Each structure stands twice: as C-alpha cells, then as structure tokens.
Amino acid sequence: MLKIAVFCLKALHLAILLFSLSGWLLPANLLWIYVLWIPAMVVQWQLNQGTCLLTNLENFLVPAARKEKPQQQGQLIKSLFLLCCDCVPGDRALKYLVYVTLGACWSIGCLRWYFDRASN
C-alpha cells in the first residue's frame, strides 16, 4: 500500500511539474488559474525552505530516502535530470534554470491572459 501511495505522490508531483511548464496553453477562460498558480507555488517553496511540500511528504513516507532540507531542494528535478541526461547540474545552476523557466512560462501565460482580457 505504501508503494502505491509513493507512486501516486510521484505521479502527482510530475503532473504538477508538467502543468507548471505548460499551463500557459490553457484556454483563455482558465488562464487565471495558471496566473495565480505559479506565484503560489513559488511562495510555498520559500515558506518551506526551498522545498516542495510533496517532496516533504515523499521523504516522510520513505524513511530510507530522508534527507536534510538543503539536499531535498530540487529533488524531483534532479531525479529527472539523472533519468534523461545522466548528470545533474549544480544546485545554484538548477535553481536558476527552474526559476528562469518558470518565469518565462508564467510570463507567457500572463501575456495571453492580459491580451485576451483586453480584446474582450
């Protein structure tokens, strides 16, 4: 049962990552969700010492995977880099990459939302 819960948690974490990168593609009437989502997610990271609540829950459910807070930062992204590229950028480069990518995606979403509202 625990393995299923951890699998579902990882799937949810991946789904949130995919939404965070592609939410700007939502239909115009739903873009407000994305425009609010990204800042809320970033605030949640900041309030949780740079880690995601889902990462905390995953580490709680899998005691063998427990790490100190600094090691938890970007844990999902690091695992995806290892899976796809067989390497992991440094923490500082990874943080920069995450924030720039999310900022660019969020900016596109905000522009789409703004221009859609302006044209109506």
Side-chain angles (χ1 to χ4, degrees):
M1 186 67 174
L2 183 62
K3 285 184 180 184
I4 293 171
V6 171
F7 176 80
C8 290
L9 187 61
K10 286 184 180 192
L12 175 63
H13 211 165
L14 188 57
I16 289 171
L17 172 66
L18 293 174
F19 174 72
S20 298
L21 294 174
S22 62
W24 59 272
L25 294 169
L26 284 171
N29 62 333
L30 296 176
L31 267 175
W32 65 272
I33 297 169
Y34 183 71
V35 169
L36 295 175
W37 172 260
I38 296 298
M41 184 175 70
V42 171
V43 166
Q44 178 274 144
W45 286 343
Q46 297 306 311
L47 293 175
N48 195 28
Q49 300 173 359
T51 61
C52 177
L53 290 172
L54 295 176
T55 300
N56 292 352
L57 186 55
E58 183 180 324
N59 287 328
F60 175 76
L61 291 174
V62 184
R66 285 192 186 145
K67 299 176 178 130
E68 296 298 319
K69 274 287 187 188
Q71 294 172 320
Q72 291 178 14
Q73 295 176 355
Q75 187 172 308
L76 176 70
I77 305 295
K78 288 175 184 176
S79 66
L80 291 174
F81 261 102
L82 274 175
L83 184 67
C84 298
C85 306
D86 207 26
C87 66
V88 177
D91 286 344
R92 190 171 176 172
L94 187 63
K95 189 173 189 176
Y96 180 79
L97 177 67
V98 166
Y99 279 98
V100 167
T101 303
L102 283 178
C105 292
W106 184 71
S107 296
I108 293 168
C110 287
L111 286 170
R112 281 196 59 227
W113 181 70
Y114 172 78
F115 286 116
D116 180 66
R117 291 179 49 87
S119 67
N120 287 335

